Amino acid sequence: MRDTSRHGAVVADGPSNPSVSTGQLTVLAILATAGMLFAGFASAYLVRREGTDWVHQSLPAILIFSTLILLISSGTLEISRAALRRGESVVARLWTATTLMLGLAFLAGQLSAWRQLEAQGVYLPTNPYASFFYVLTAAHGLHLGGGIVALAYLLWRLRRSAWDPAIRELLRNCATYWHF
């Protein structure tokens, strides 16, 4: 049997709470696509590094620091989720904002690494190793940029109405994306 919603759309009768929401399915599709992209890069890297023109470069130490920042940001997002589950919307906003700032700090660290390599005369076309480094870090930066946009939207939604039931799902979807 079919029913018409208040917006005039025809909807099928059935469970009102599907096991996988549209938001979750969207995040999983995006992550599957990103996973395949990075798997392709990893495969190409493993094959290409056997070439005679492969020159391994020392990477800037800032990359260790920025990686730690990114790991910490996963923890801060989980603190935000726990706070929202407890009904502490102000605390959830604070930790979501902290996660967003850590994401921006990570991107700043990546840009700093690029500048340090540039100062050493290492550019995208310098050699295959450098090309892979720049392409992989750029792709990761774009992926992280998507997460930053999602966190900014989440923060905006948390400021408007932390008690909206959709906020928990939005935060869960942001966390799934961010942890990936």
Side-chain angles (χ1 to χ4, degrees):
M1 185 180 261
R2 300 181 125 195
D3 188 14
T4 304
S5 73
R6 64 186 170 117
H7 298 292
V10 176
V11 294
D13 283 342
S16 62
N17 199 1
S19 59
V20 177
S21 71
T22 304
Q24 290 170 315
L25 197 55
T26 302
V27 169
L28 293 175
I30 291 168
L31 294 182
T33 302
M36 289 187 300
L37 174 72
F38 284 106
F41 281 146
S43 297
Y45 175 89
L46 291 173
V47 170
R48 188 62 182 90
R49 73 180 180 173
E50 300 302 321
T52 57
D53 59 345
W54 191 265
V55 178
H56 183 79
Q57 306 282 154
S58 293
L59 296 177
I62 187 80
L63 294 174
I64 294 169
F65 181 67
S66 64
T67 300
L68 288 173
I69 286 174
L70 196 56
L71 291 172
I72 291 167
S73 75
S74 280
T76 60
L77 193 54
E78 285 304 310
I79 293 170
S80 177
R81 288 179 71 189
L84 193 60
R85 279 192 298 270
R86 291 188 309 268
E88 300 171 359
S89 63
V90 173
V91 175
R93 281 196 308 262
L94 171 71
W95 287 106
T96 299
T98 301
T99 304
L100 191 144
M101 297 307 292
L102 289 170
L104 292 171
F106 173 82
L107 288 179
Q110 295 295 97
L111 289 174
S112 175
W114 280 16
R115 288 196 176 116
Q116 289 176 30
L117 288 172
E118 180 184 36
Q120 296 171 15
V122 179
Y123 301 97
L124 180 74
T126 300
N127 62 56
Y129 180 83
S131 297
F132 269 98
F133 175 79
Y134 280 109
V135 169
L136 282 170
T137 56
H140 187 239
L142 287 173
H143 175 72
L144 199 79
I148 288 170
V149 169
L151 286 173
Y153 176 69
L154 171 63
L155 195 55
W156 176 74
R157 291 281 308 270
L158 279 168
R159 286 182 181 271
R160 292 191 63 210
S161 173
W163 307 116
D164 180 351
I167 295 292
R168 287 179 195 246
E169 181 182 353
L170 179 60
L171 181 51
R172 182 181 66 230
N173 290 339
C174 283
T176 299
Y177 183 92
W178 194 257
H179 298 323
F180 180 81

